Amino acid sequence: MAIERTLSIIKPDGLEKGVIGKIISRFEESGLKPVAIRLQQLSTRDAEGFYAVHKARPFFKDLVGFMASGPVVLMVLEGENAIAKNRELMGATDPAKAAPGTIRKDFATSIDQNTVHGSDSLDNAKTEIAYFFRDTEVQPYTYRK
Ligand code: IDP
Ligand code: MG
């Protein structure tokens, strides 16, 4: 298995619910190390740019509005198989369909307010990490001997 990096976002509902610590604990307990973390209020433009692939979808405007409705936590997670592992910990997009014990099952209220984002491929992880973080803001401490 490969050591990968993925972009994780705790969305505004996660901050409102006060579960930043609980979510980060799940990542750490599963071997995913935060190697960059920042709390940020996204502008509408930030959110539109980030979700540009969904521009044509009917929920795009609501999604952008929600992502800019309050601060988010932006993180780079590093570890073995980080992209798939993070998606597994997150659970299905719709919390009603998410497996028991997943972040979305336990914390999310609806498909619109589903608490976390995670990159879905190696290419997208690279693009999404670069969208929010400079190389110098990512600290690769995981595999230091
Ligand atoms: P993902 O976050 O699980 O990767 P995507 O399909 O990439 O899901 O969609 C991005 C985000 O857009 C979702 O997390 C969710 O907040 C929102 N979204 C996706 N599908 C719908 C929908 O059918 N209705 C409302 N919001 C949606
Ligand atoms: Mg996605």
Side-chain angles (χ1 to χ4, degrees):
M1 271 198 287
I3 294 160
E4 295 171 345
R5 287 180 181 171
T6 190
L7 185 82
S8 167
I9 304 179
I10 305 178
K11 298 185 180 185
D13 64 305
L15 276 71
E16 190 150 24
K17 289 163 185 151
V19 293
I20 296 173
K22 286 182 179 167
I23 291 171
I24 294 179
S25 289
R26 291 183 182 209
F27 295 144
E28 291 183 318
E29 282 159 11
S30 304
L32 295 181
K33 306 267 190 196
V35 293
I37 304 188
R38 185 167 75 244
L39 200 143
Q40 184 171 322
Q41 170 67 56
L42 301 184
S43 66
T44 301
R45 280 184 66 170
D46 293 332
E48 280 172 352
F50 182 72
Y51 279 119
V53 299
H54 293 307
K55 213 169 190 163
R57 310 284 286 276
F59 55 82
F60 180 71
K61 200 161 177 270
D62 287 347
L63 174 61
V64 165
F66 171 62
M67 290 302 286
S69 70
V72 300
V73 173
L74 304 169
M75 270 181 290
V76 178
L77 300 175
E78 184 180 271
E80 293 220 343
N81 217 13
I83 295 160
K85 192 177 281 181
N86 180 38
R87 297 288 307 190
E88 196 182 309
L89 294 169
M90 288 163 57
T93 307
D94 181 353
K97 295 177 185 153
T102 60
I103 294 167
R104 283 168 165 168
K105 185 67 172 184
D106 293 344
F107 302 121
T109 32
S110 65
I111 195 167
D112 307 271
Q113 307 206 1
N114 60 3
T115 316
V116 279
H117 166 85
S119 310
D120 63 5
S121 68
L122 202 53
D123 277 354
N124 286 340
K126 285 193 175 133
T127 308
E128 291 179 2
I129 290 167
Y131 189 79
F132 285 121
F133 292 99
R134 296 192 183 101
D135 285 351
T136 52
E137 293 177 310
V138 183
Q139 311 303 325
Y141 64 83
T142 313
Y143 298 96
R144 191 175 290 165
K145 297 267 190 261

